[in-house]
Amino acid sequence: MMSLADFQQRIEQGALSPNAAIAQALEAIRVQDGTIGAFVRHDQRARAQSSGPLRGIAVGIKDIIDTADFPTEMGAVLYRGHQPRADAPVVMALKRAGATVIGKTTTTAFAANDPTATVNPHNHSHTPGGSSSGSAAAVAAGMVPLALGTQTGGSVIRPASFCGVAAIKPSYRLLPTVGVKCFSWTLDTVGLFAAGVRDVAAGLSAMTNRPELLVPAHVAAPRIGVVTQAFAGAPEASGAAALKKAARAAAQAGANVRELEMPEIIAEAWRIHPIVQDFEAQQSFAWEYGQNYDAMPPLLRGRLDESKGGTPAHYDAAMDVTLRARQVLAAVFDEVDVLLTLSAPGAAPAGLASTGDPRYNRLWTLMGVPCVNVTADIAEGGLPVGVTVIGRFGADAWALAAASFVEDALRG
């Protein structure tokens, strides 16, 4: 994989020119993408910008995020050839930091259930996950050092786990979602993929102009609460092994690690996530579903068919649970610095018909807290398995630092 931090260092030292770095990405796309299928399209004539902390950094943008230089088709026939007039604010943030937007990466249709043809770079007979399929695969295959995705249930953290890359779903609204196709305004969050945690931190720091997000050279050993999420069902053997391995490695590196039981209101929040998501999706897709029913992607269309009975009363009750659960979760962080949990049930499933199960991600999306994927283990078939480090709302810097601590501990 391409390390963003390594590129930055070499460019700063004059050992690599920004345009040579962009040329590396273009060549990697030329060689790899015919097999992986991570990009919808890319600019073969892309050049580096002249200044900024991300100059020379090629970035892939999930194709539900508006770009003025590329169509935004959302993985859906209905938007074939759709050309926005403006870049989304997150795209402009990257450009202002000096990054080169090199192309658009694949997404499941409308970032929902209907999968892409993108394959997992580690094993081409397995899914890369979704809905940010192309962004995770592009970074994992070494085509770009940074990519943007989005998460409403588990669409950043799960593909990061399946593809063996670092990723962050930041605190809710740290990054604006203006110019991103809305699924659920309570849940939608823009996230980043990169090779390692320090790379993710460097990308997020540059695009937000927040130097405090950079991981320091030395990270103090954190207090870690391990959460198995029993209310979400038992994981596969590979998922359970990855969580155990990460907890053990962190403890051996000096962290205070203990298992935590979540209060019942947290489990209730996990149960009501679909109520919030589906009620808002009915409104977000009102035009597509109401006026273009036959052109809708079949799995999403079926999901909207099934959730038409949601009522404002059900939604309001679910939002009440959400607010109470967020307050209770905030108190949990008085006991520990971060939580450590599963990123996925296990390794990436075989085949491309499903992008995997988000059941271990959706609670934390609803809570709005920062989540960082760290690769913890390699399962049968050479497939990576990740774990998630979760911080208090707004404590993205500490979540990244603690995730880097866990990542370093696993590398031993």
Side-chain angles (χ1 to χ4, degrees), residues 123-274:
N123 189 321
H124 297 173
S125 65
H126 289 250
T127 179
S131 61
S132 306
S133 310
S135 289
V139 171
M143 289 188 262
V144 290
L146 185 66
L148 290 191
T150 63
Q151 179 159 311
T152 305
S155 293
V156 169
I157 297 300
R158 189 175 76 262
S161 176
F162 288 169
C163 289
V165 300
I168 184 169
K169 180 208 77 66
S171 291
Y172 180 70
R173 292 297 185 259
L174 177 64
L175 295 175
T177 56
V178 177
V180 180
K181 177 58 178 172
C182 182
F183 196 110
S184 164
W185 55 88
T186 296
L187 302 169
D188 293 348
T189 310
V190 176
L192 288 77
F193 298 88
V197 174
R198 289 178 182 273
D199 301 303
V200 169
L204 186 60
S205 171
M207 69 184 294
T208 59
N209 195 29
R210 295 174 182 266
E212 66 272 17
L213 292 172
L214 293 170
V215 177
H218 174 72
V219 178
R223 300 174 300 160
I224 298 175
V226 178
V227 180
T228 58
Q229 299 192 67
F231 46 79
E236 299 167 15
S238 58
L243 183 60
K244 183 176 181 180
K245 181 178 179 180
R248 182 172 61 246
Q252 290 173 346
N256 181 331
V257 180
R258 62 191 178 95
E259 191 165 320
L260 284 184
E261 290 290 333
M262 289 288 99
E264 177 56 32
I265 187 66
I266 302 297
E268 181 61 19
W270 177 85
R271 286 189 283 270
I272 59 85
H273 170 279

Side-chain angles (χ1 to χ4, degrees), residues 8-33:
Q8 285 182 311
Q9 183 178 34
R10 290 165 62 199
I11 289 170
E12 184 67 25
Q13 293 172 347
L16 178 70
S17 75
N19 276 319
I22 299 299
Q24 283 189 30
L26 288 170
E27 176 63 12
I29 292 170
R30 186 192 68 79
V31 171
Q32 294 259 45
D33 202 46

Side-chain angles (χ1 to χ4, degrees), residues 108 111-113 120 127-133 136 150-165 167 169 193 342-349 354-362 365 371 373 384-388:
T108 64
N113 304 76
N120 191 307
T127 179
S131 61
S132 306
S133 310
T150 63
Q151 179 159 311
T152 305
S155 293
V156 169
I157 297 300
R158 189 175 76 262
S161 176
F162 288 169
C163 289
V165 300
K169 180 208 77 66
F193 298 88
L342 297 144
S343 289
S354 167
T355 60
D357 192 332
R359 69 181 188 265
Y360 294 117
N361 316 121
R362 72 192 204 194
T365 309
C371 302
N373 181 72
V385 186
V387 294
T388 302

Side-chain angles (χ1 to χ4, degrees), residues 48 65 79 90-91 94-95 127 134 159 302 329 341 351 363 365 393 399:
I65 302 173
Y79 282 85
V90 286
V91 175
L94 286 164
K95 289 182 175 180
T127 179
L329 182 62
T341 193
L363 168 66
T365 309
F393 176 78

Side-chain angles (χ1 to χ4, degrees), residues 37 74-76 106-119 126-134 158 297-300 350-356:
M74 308 180 206
T106 62
T107 174
T108 64
F110 292 122
N113 304 76
D114 299 79
T116 73
T118 309
V119 301
H126 289 250
T127 179
S131 61
S132 306
S133 310
R158 189 175 76 262
L299 295 181
L300 175 57
L352 303 181
S354 167
T355 60

